[in-house]
């Protein structure tokens, strides 16, 4: 892991704790690109050790690289703020800077933190993926300091080579490291992803583990078994 990286990906604007305004979108976009480029070079075993204090060989051996980063952009007061971000990203897609933009409601923030939220998944032409997150400025979420909100929602997603590896990594780390807790697990969603989220309850940071079936299929050579 490069020395410049902290415990989680971040955008400078998120430090304010409120969702960026329309005029700030270009700056946020440049920061997201820089974060993605930097985190894409992370050594998985080194990051795991820095994140939770240990990197068991049987767990670290299952990681194949960084699948994506997730960045918290701050709390929103109105859904319209998030919709305008989506519109801005769709403009980047039309300009060729993005190859895909998806959006949906968060299922983690209502269950874990008592507030609704949104995720947006941004696909870059070179295959990298960036996800952005935001939670509504509402309810018990407000009792947490801004710095903790960023740590809980921003994260790195490490990729594994097989769907079964996701459950093996989650179970192994949660079993052997007392301060880790699995807070979400999804098996074979509509696009073939199997993934889970671990929370470090000491540092209040999150790690995602993901198997990306679509990426496996797209990387297979013509005629190769898929």
């Amino acid at each position: 892991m490069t020395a410049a990286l902290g415990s989680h990906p971040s955008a400078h604007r998120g430090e304010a704790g409120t969702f960026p305004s329309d005029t700030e979108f270009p700056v946020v976009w440049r920061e997201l690109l820089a974060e993605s480029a930097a985190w894409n070079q992370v050594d998985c075993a080194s990051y795991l050790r820095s994140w939770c204090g240990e990197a068991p060989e049987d767990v670290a051996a299952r990681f194949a690289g960084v699948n994506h980063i997730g960045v918290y952009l701050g709390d929103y007061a109105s859904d319209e703020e998030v919709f305008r971000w989506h519109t801005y990203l769709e403009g980047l897609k039309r300009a060729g800077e993005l190859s895909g933009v998806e959006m949906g409601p968060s299922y983690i923030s209502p269950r874990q933190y008592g507030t609704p939220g949104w995720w947006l998944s941004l696909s870059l032409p070179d295959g990298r993926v960036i996800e952005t997150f935001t939670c509504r400025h509402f309810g018990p979420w407000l009792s947490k300091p801004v710095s903790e909100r960023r740590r809980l929602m921003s994260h790195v997603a490490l990729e594994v080579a097989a769907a079964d590896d996701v459950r093996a990594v989650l179970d192994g780390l949660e079993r052997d490291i007392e301060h880790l807790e699995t807070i979400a697990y999804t098996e074979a969603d509509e696009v073939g992803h199997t993934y889970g989220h671990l929370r470090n309850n000491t540092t209040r940071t999150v790690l995602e583990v993901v198997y990306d079936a679509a990426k496996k299929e797209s990387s297979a050579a013509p005629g190769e078994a898929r």
Side-chain angles (χ1 to χ4, degrees):
M1 184 174 66
T2 63
L5 299 179
S7 62
H8 58 87
S10 62
H12 178 74
R13 180 59 187 80
E15 294 178 4
T18 55
F19 199 75
S21 66
D22 301 25
T23 58
E24 294 170 307
F25 288 168
V27 173
V28 171
W29 173 237
R30 289 194 295 271
E31 291 179 342
L32 292 174
L33 286 175
E35 285 288 290
S36 175
W39 283 93
N40 197 52
Q41 306 303 314
V42 165
D43 175 78
C44 295
S46 297
Y47 177 70
L48 181 63
R49 187 176 297 106
S50 71
W51 180 71
C52 67
E54 300 181 35
E57 288 187 12
D58 60 327
V59 170
R62 297 177 187 267
F63 291 128
V66 173
N67 180 271
H68 66 268
I69 61 168
V71 179
Y72 190 63
L73 296 185
D75 293 1
Y76 66 92
S78 165
D79 287 337
E80 288 301 321
E81 297 174 71
V82 190
F83 297 158
R84 288 196 295 270
W85 174 236
H86 179 260
T87 298
Y88 174 79
L89 296 171
E90 287 288 353
L92 293 180
K93 180 182 175 182
R94 290 192 296 273
E97 294 188 52
L98 286 169
S99 57
V101 178
E102 298 179 67
M103 179 179 181
S106 171
Y107 66 91
I108 289 181
S109 59
R111 296 177 186 179
Q112 290 289 325
Y113 309 122
T115 186
W118 293 96
W119 57 263
L120 287 95
S121 180
L122 325 175
S123 299
L124 297 171
D126 64 6
R128 284 181 291 152
V129 174
I130 302 169
E131 294 183 354
T132 69
F133 296 91
T134 178
C135 296
R136 190 173 183 90
H137 196 67
F138 170 81
W141 181 243
L142 302 184
S143 67
K144 302 181 186 302
V146 171
S147 59
E148 183 177 349
R149 296 178 214 167
R150 294 199 313 270
R151 294 196 306 273
L152 287 170
M153 300 304 294
S154 296
H155 62 272
V156 179
L158 300 183
E159 188 169 322
V160 292
D164 290 346
D165 287 338
V166 175
R167 190 78 261 181
V169 169
L170 297 177
D171 290 348
L173 290 174
E174 186 176 38
R175 180 189 63 242
D176 295 338
I177 303 176
E178 184 177 355
H179 54 277
L180 300 187
E181 175 187 358
T182 297
I183 60 172
Y185 174 71
T186 299
E187 184 175 5
D189 67 9
E190 64 276 8
V191 294
H193 292 171
T194 294
Y195 56 95
H197 294 74
L198 279 164
R199 183 172 61 215
N200 183 324
N201 286 325
T202 299
T203 62
R204 307 298 285 172
T205 55
V206 170
L207 172 71
E208 183 177 351
V209 181
V210 59
Y211 168 69
D212 190 338
K215 182 182 288 188
K216 281 286 184 183
E217 292 177 1
S218 65
S219 63
E224 182 179 334
R226 299 188 175 199

